[in-house]
């Protein structure tokens, strides 16, 4: 158990310092030791984020899908929404906007069921970005304005900043 904790902390510290290869090494060593589905999901999402950052998108997708499978097996709706959101963002980065909207729509439904307003706001921003990239400025603006309103209600400064930045891009 201590070994898992040390590997997790080391991976997170390396990830925070942008020592991406090192973070991945720690996460690789950690995943086979994990028995709790929630922990495995969290680490696969972290590893996927590192892989996404360094452009290894196919590997990031594999991590996100592995995490999603475990979330579905554990019937963990919040984890499932996080995984779907990650897959939506990755699809957007790849330029596959239809897939991005499908994944983000699934995440949006999950956040709505859970009444998890921060996740819901983030998905609306992501959807706004996708619609912006597709050239559907009206729909982009609608999503981003909803996200901004929700971020304001939550006092989420980072969420407000992201929504405002993207609204500026729409304008």
């Amino acid at each position: 158990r201590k070994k898992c904790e040390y590997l997790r902390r080391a991976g997170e510290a390396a990830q925070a310092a942008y020592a991406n290869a090192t973070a991945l090494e720690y996460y690789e060593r950690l995943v086979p030791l994990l028995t709790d589905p929630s922990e495995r999901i969290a680490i696969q999402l972290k590893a996927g984020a590192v892989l996404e950052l360094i452009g290894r998108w196919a590997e990031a997708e594999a991590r996100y899908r592995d995490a999603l499978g475990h979330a579905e097996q554990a019937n963990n709706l919040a984890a499932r929404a996080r995984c779907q959101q990650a897959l939506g963002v990755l699809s957007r980065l790849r330029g596959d906007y239809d897939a991005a909207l499908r994944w983000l729509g699934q995440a949006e439904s999950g956040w709505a069921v859970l009444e998890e307003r921060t996740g819901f706001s983030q998905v609306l921003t992501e959807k706004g970005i996708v619609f912006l990239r597709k050239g559907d400025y009206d729909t982009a603006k609608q999503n981003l304005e909803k996200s901004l309103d929700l971020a304001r209600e939550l006092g989420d400064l980072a969420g407000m900043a992201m929504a405002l930045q993207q609204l500026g891009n729409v304008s």
Side-chain angles (χ1 to χ4, degrees):
R1 197 73 195 135
K2 282 208 182 268
K3 183 176 183 177
C4 289
E5 179 66 19
Y6 293 138
L7 287 170
R8 183 188 59 76
R9 285 185 185 188
E12 289 171 349
Q15 185 175 4
Y18 297 98
N20 298 319
T22 303
L24 288 172
E25 287 175 28
Y26 285 122
Y27 293 149
E28 283 293 322
R29 291 172 48 199
L30 176 57
V31 168
L33 304 175
L34 298 174
T35 55
D36 178 9
S38 295
E39 290 177 355
R40 184 179 179 100
I41 293 163
I43 296 304
Q44 290 292 59
L45 285 170
K46 287 175 186 289
V50 173
L51 290 162
E52 181 180 300
L53 181 67
I54 62 176
R56 290 167 51 185
W57 291 346
E59 293 170 76
E61 181 180 359
R63 296 300 183 104
Y64 293 152
R65 285 184 181 274
D66 178 73
L68 178 59
H70 281 86
E72 288 172 344
Q73 237 177 356
N75 200 28
N76 184 331
L77 189 55
R80 191 167 70 203
R82 278 193 300 278
C83 296
Q84 292 163 336
Q85 188 168 333
L87 285 160
V89 171
L90 180 62
S91 295
R92 173 180 58 80
L93 292 171
R94 288 176 153 170
D96 188 350
Y97 301 135
D98 292 335
L101 289 174
R102 281 192 303 275
W103 284 118
L104 293 169
Q106 290 175 37
E108 181 180 15
S109 296
W111 294 131
V113 167
L114 292 166
E115 298 180 1
E116 208 314 300
R117 298 173 351 145
T118 301
F120 192 80
S121 176
Q122 292 169 353
V123 166
L124 290 173
T125 297
E126 285 298 329
K127 285 177 65 179
I129 295 169
V130 173
F131 283 115
L132 171 63
R133 300 269 165 77
K134 289 181 65 141
D136 184 346
Y137 302 116
D138 290 336
T139 307
K141 185 177 178 186
Q142 290 169 4
N143 278 276
L144 292 165
E145 285 175 344
K146 286 181 194 172
S147 176
L148 178 60
D149 290 344
L150 194 48
R152 282 185 173 140
E153 286 176 27
L154 296 167
D156 177 5
L157 296 178
M160 286 187 271
M162 182 62 104
L164 285 168
Q165 176 188 5
Q166 297 305 321
L167 280 166
N169 291 338
V170 169
S171 294

